[in-house]
Amino acid sequence: MPTLLTTGYTEAEFGGVTVLIGAERGAYPYANSVLVRGSAETLVIDPSLSLVDSAPPADMALVSHAHEDHVAGLGSYKVPVRIHEKDLAALRSRRVMAASYGLPPEATEQTATMLRDHFHVRDRTDATGFTDGTVFDLGGRTVTVVHLPGHTAGHCGFLIEPDGFLFVADIDLTSFGPYYGDVGSSLTDFEASMRRCRAIDARWYGTAHQRGVIEGTAEFSERLDAFAGVMAKRDATLLTFLSEPRTVDEIADRRLVYRSDVDGPHVLPVERRTAVQHLSRLVGAGRVSEVEPGRFRAT
């Protein structure tokens, strides 16, 4: 993997919230970060790769979840770091983070090296946990944790008041769709988290990647519908493929997540975990049955 450039960011203001738009509109491997200033303290959310060489001052760093593109800029901050307790171990240890992707042993070791060399990930043993509903009072402005699991077990959003800004992190509304392929991911939790986001009335909804900031609940709901629709398309693809009995490995080879031209050691493990979750849901709904051990068919 070539060395990733830390090409800086651009700023966009939404009330008292500053979005630090990463390189390439925050597309992976970059991401969008958020700076929140109060009268007493300033905090940064998800310091990304684009902040490595030009991090703005902050008194605290919050992390939405323990993925490399959301923590690459943490090394620029010698301040308290907080993350949901269910992702805390992965933030404290680069090797735990690498293992959370559920790759074969050799690929896991290579990933740990990649996290260190290309994303500047270091063990943040000083990091501490928070839980759903934790409030950070910055003086005239608060940041409230909104636990939104599914992408990872500890994935969180942050509601910033009085601005009415909800940062939804990797409920990112991209055409790729929801990602729930890690060891600790959950399709059903991701669906519940999207419902929770929909129920929060905000003025602005900020995403970690290309979609940027969406204004208004109507526009956000429309984009969230399209994002959730990718899950329904995966169900439909799977049901069509199961017109005859198939194994999980055959489904993984068919691919529900990645295009056929995408390669890498992560592809089949992610496809397999995704397939198992969709199968479980469809079996529970009576739309798929296990016709013989390890082989499934649409009913």
Side-chain angles (χ1 to χ4, degrees):
M1 185 175 183
T3 300
L4 298 174
L5 300 176
T6 55
T7 53
Y9 57 86
T10 57
E11 296 187 6
E13 303 291 334
F14 299 88
V17 177
T18 303
V19 176
L20 311 176
I21 303 169
E24 300 177 13
R25 295 191 304 122
Y28 184 89
Y30 305 103
N32 301 323
S33 305
V34 177
L35 194 68
V36 188
R37 296 183 179 92
S39 61
E41 291 185 298
T42 296
L43 65 76
V44 63
I45 300 171
D46 284 4
S48 73
L49 194 63
S50 295
L51 273 61
V52 168
D53 295 326
S54 53
D59 302 296
M60 180 183 299
L62 304 184
V63 179
S64 65
H65 64 292
H67 277 171
E68 68 275 7
D69 48 325
H70 297 259
V71 304
L74 267 183
S76 301
Y77 291 100
K78 309 300 182 185
V79 300
V81 178
R82 307 290 301 276
I83 191 171
H84 192 276
E85 58 188 16
K86 290 188 175 180
D87 273 18
L88 180 58
L91 185 60
R92 286 179 168 176
S93 168
R94 174 173 51 88
R95 292 192 177 278
V96 172
M97 185 184 295
S100 73
Y101 298 121
L103 306 178
E106 182 178 346
T108 296
E109 187 62 31
Q110 292 171 349
T111 297
T113 300
M114 178 271 291
L115 295 177
R116 180 193 67 200
D117 294 348
H118 300 290
F119 284 93
H120 313 278
V121 176
R122 301 294 185 269
D123 296 349
R124 288 303 299 245
T125 56
D126 60 314
T128 57
F130 54 59
T131 57
D132 184 46
T134 299
V135 178
F136 299 93
D137 189 345
L138 307 181
R141 185 161 280 110
T142 60
V143 179
T144 301
V145 174
V146 183
H147 188 206
L148 301 171
H151 183 63
T152 69
H155 181 271
C156 287
F158 302 97
L159 180 62
I160 303 163
E161 297 286 16
D163 309 277
F165 189 105
L166 177 64
F167 182 64
V168 294
D170 271 1
I171 301 181
D172 57 24
L173 311 181
T174 60
S175 59
F176 180 82
Y179 176 91
Y180 35 91
D182 285 3
V183 172
S185 299
S186 168
L187 182 161
T188 54
D189 283 351
F190 209 126
E191 289 182 316
S193 292
M194 289 190 289
R195 290 193 296 271
R196 186 175 188 189
C197 286
R198 194 187 300 276
I200 297 174
D201 185 15
R203 180 177 180 184
W204 292 293
Y205 300 83
T207 69
H209 294 292
Q210 297 99 308
R211 295 300 183 193
V213 177
I214 293 92
E215 183 169 6
T217 55
E219 178 71 14
F220 177 72
S221 293
E222 182 178 332
R223 290 181 180 268
L224 193 60
D225 286 343
F227 186 65
V230 175
M231 287 178 164
K233 291 176 183 176
R234 291 171 184 163
D235 277 343
T237 297
L238 180 55
L239 288 168
T240 298
F241 189 59
L242 293 180
S243 60
E244 56 184 80
R246 310 281 189 178
T247 66
V248 170
D249 285 340
E250 288 173 323
I251 298 167
D253 286 336
R254 167 60 181 79
R255 298 197 180 189
L256 298 175
V257 180
Y258 295 107
R259 301 187 313 269
S260 60
D261 62 323
V262 176
D263 194 18
H266 64 292
V267 171
L268 286 181
V270 168
E271 291 288 353
R272 184 178 178 86
R273 283 189 290 271
T274 301
V276 167
Q277 292 181 79
H278 279 269
L279 276 174
S280 177
R281 184 171 68 165
L282 291 170
V283 167
R287 303 182 70 186
V288 168
S289 60
E290 190 172 11
V291 295
E292 56 186 274
R295 296 181 71 83
F296 301 85
R297 183 172 185 167
T299 55

